[in-house]
């Protein structure tokens, strides 16, 4: 079942065996349920769990502690949130999302997008990796693009690599220039980390060419085949 998942093709036999163990753990510990009448099959659960566990393959299952639920919508879903304007009035606004990750709550995903990203390659796009990267980022209690780093990694080097690349992308987007990196990464540092994680696993060559210092830090952090 996992052999058809494009993002897993760089793994060797030992890594795949380890990933299957972690996927089994994930399916045992986390509930994956459907919304709006979506019937969730075992293959759908495996698609979500295996790709989520790719992020923590060399980090450990404790990195997914503190929450228990994944919710799958059939397609993009609408969420409402309160927005305060410049004069202090609060307005309710609606957004259409393909994924959402709550700091201490569920991960919510559009199955249409999960299915597309799982079986049809798009460089830099994988909604499962994106939303579960937010879970790693949030382990410190806030999502700011600085997850708890491995022992021996330098927070200073991480911050320098990410802030320099983020600032460069923001300038590029502000100037209306189109680059190789999804401009959504310029939203804020948390989204930048999540998008960079998508590129690290789905299009490492693009990331290495565009943001070599970021690629190096993610290779130290994730320590997977995508680092090579």
């Amino acid at each position: 079942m996992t052999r058809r998942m494009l993002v897993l093709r760089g793994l060797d036999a030992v890594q795949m065996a380890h990933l299957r163990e972690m996927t089994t753990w994930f399916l045992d510990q986390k509930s994956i349920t459907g919304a709006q009448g979506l019937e969730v099959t075992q293959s759908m659960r495996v698609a979500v769990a295996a790709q989520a566990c790719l992020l923590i393959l060399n980090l450990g299952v404790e990195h997914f502690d503190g929450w228990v639920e994944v919710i799958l919508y059939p397609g993009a879903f609408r969420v409402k949130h309160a927005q305060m304007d410049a004069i202090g009035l609060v307005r309710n606004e609606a957004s259409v999302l393909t994924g959402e990750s709550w700091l201490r709550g569920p991960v919510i995903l559009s199955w249409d997008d999960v299915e597309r990203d799982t079986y049809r390659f798009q460089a830099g796009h994988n909604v499962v990796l994106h939303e579960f990267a937010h879970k790693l980022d949030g382990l410190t209690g806030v999502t700011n693009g600085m997850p708890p780093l491995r022992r021996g990694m330098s927070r200073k080097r991480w911050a320098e690599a990410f802030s320099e690349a983020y600032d460069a992308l923001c300038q590029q987007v502000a100037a209306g220039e189109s680059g190789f990196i999804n401009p959504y990464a310029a939203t804020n540092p948390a989204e930048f980390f999540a998008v960079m994680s998508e590129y690290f696993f789905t299009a490492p060559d693009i990331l290495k060419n565009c943001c070599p210092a970021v690629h190096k830090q993610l290779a130290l952090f994730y320590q997977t085949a995508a680092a090579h």
Side-chain angles (χ1 to χ4, degrees), residues 105-163:
V107 173
I108 307 169
L109 301 165
S110 153
W111 173 249
D112 278 352
D113 291 87
V114 173
E115 186 176 39
R116 180 201 64 204
D117 295 343
T118 302
Y119 303 115
R120 292 197 292 280
F121 176 75
Q122 291 189 97
H125 285 276
N126 186 295
V127 68
V128 175
L129 296 179
H130 184 103
E131 299 306 333
F132 283 92
H134 283 314
K135 281 296 188 189
L136 300 181
D137 191 7
L139 285 169
T140 57
V142 292
T143 50
N144 58 5
M146 174 69 81
L149 301 182
R150 286 178 174 276
R151 184 174 297 166
M153 288 186 69
S154 164
R155 287 174 60 88
K156 181 172 180 286
R157 286 197 195 98
W158 177 283
E160 286 173 351
F162 273 78
S163 60

Side-chain angles (χ1 to χ4, degrees), residues 2-3 8-23 53-54 56-58 223-225:
T2 51
R3 288 176 187 167
L8 306 182
R9 287 189 173 170
L11 301 183
D12 62 29
V14 173
Q15 290 169 322
M16 280 300 296
H18 184 35
L19 183 69
R20 288 192 184 101
E21 288 177 8
M22 296 186 86
T23 300
C53 287
L54 179 62
I56 61 166
L57 188 63
N58 295 303
Q223 292 192 353
T224 74

Side-chain angles (χ1 to χ4, degrees), residues 17-18 27 35 55 64 92 100 109 111 120 124 133 136 139-140 160 184 187 195 201 215-216 225:
H18 184 35
L27 294 172
L55 290 171
F64 281 168
N92 285 317
E100 188 173 39
L109 301 165
W111 173 249
R120 292 197 292 280
L136 300 181
L139 285 169
T140 57
E160 286 173 351
Y184 184 68
T187 304
V195 172
F201 288 99
H215 181 275
K216 183 177 181 179

Side-chain angles (χ1 to χ4, degrees), residues 46 48 164 168:
V46 170
V48 171
E164 188 176 312

